[in-house]
Amino acid sequence: MLVIPKPVKKKGLAYEAQKVFSPFTPGLWGVVIAIIFAAALLSVWFSDREMVAKTRYGLQLKQARKPWKRQKFVYFRLILDAFLEKGMFFFSAGIEQDTGASLPHKVLMFGFGLFILIAVSAYVAELAAMLT
């Protein structure tokens, strides 16, 4: 037996648009965004370590550093790009299949893919229960 609340008779554009976000609470949406951001940060960290290991091998760390302002801007762009990429993966319910990625990046994407599977399944189930 499926138990749902009594239907509401509201008919406004704001009410109809709000239905998309109602399967999850605002706190849970915050957790979803935080996990996407954490996956983006870890992705940048793993890719940066891999890049430094490949291109800067043999150089001293002081020789390989760039000016701090430029380095902050580059990291900001990388983090923003990774956040948008992981957000796109989440909202498309899939992840990138990169066979040439490092093992830490593959493990990160496996965990993120599992999170996506669970979150999308819960969202669709709650949305179906709410709309029926």
Side-chain angles (χ1 to χ4, degrees):
M1 178 176 193
L2 181 63
V3 178
I4 58 172
K6 190 174 182 180
V8 181
K9 302 288 183 192
K10 295 181 181 177
K11 294 208 180 208
L13 179 62
Y15 176 73
E16 296 296 326
Q18 180 185 355
K19 283 183 182 179
V20 176
F21 298 107
S22 61
F24 289 165
T25 62
L28 190 55
W29 280 114
V31 169
V32 167
I33 291 172
I35 289 175
I36 292 171
F37 189 71
L41 284 176
L42 288 172
S43 176
V44 169
W45 186 51
F46 290 146
S47 67
D48 186 45
R49 288 178 57 126
E50 184 179 342
M51 181 188 68
V52 167
K54 287 181 180 178
T55 60
R56 308 278 188 210
Y57 185 75
L59 289 178
Q60 301 240 348
L61 186 60
K62 289 181 180 178
Q63 293 174 346
R65 288 197 175 227
K66 295 178 182 175
W68 178 243
K69 282 191 175 199
R70 170 117 173 103
Q71 191 175 8
K72 280 196 313 189
F73 180 71
V74 169
Y75 274 116
F76 176 73
R77 276 194 69 176
L78 285 174
I79 291 170
L80 179 63
D81 180 51
F83 180 75
L84 293 174
E85 179 184 6
K86 300 306 180 268
M88 183 180 64
F89 291 163
F90 179 78
F91 290 115
S92 65
I95 59 169
E96 176 183 39
Q97 303 293 321
D98 187 10
T99 57
S102 65
L103 181 61
H105 191 266
K106 287 180 182 178
V107 171
L108 173 69
M109 288 294 103
F110 179 78
F112 190 59
L114 183 63
F115 166 72
I116 290 172
L117 174 70
I118 292 168
V120 168
S121 298
Y123 179 83
V124 170
E126 181 66 29
L127 191 63
M130 185 182 69
L131 295 178
T132 54

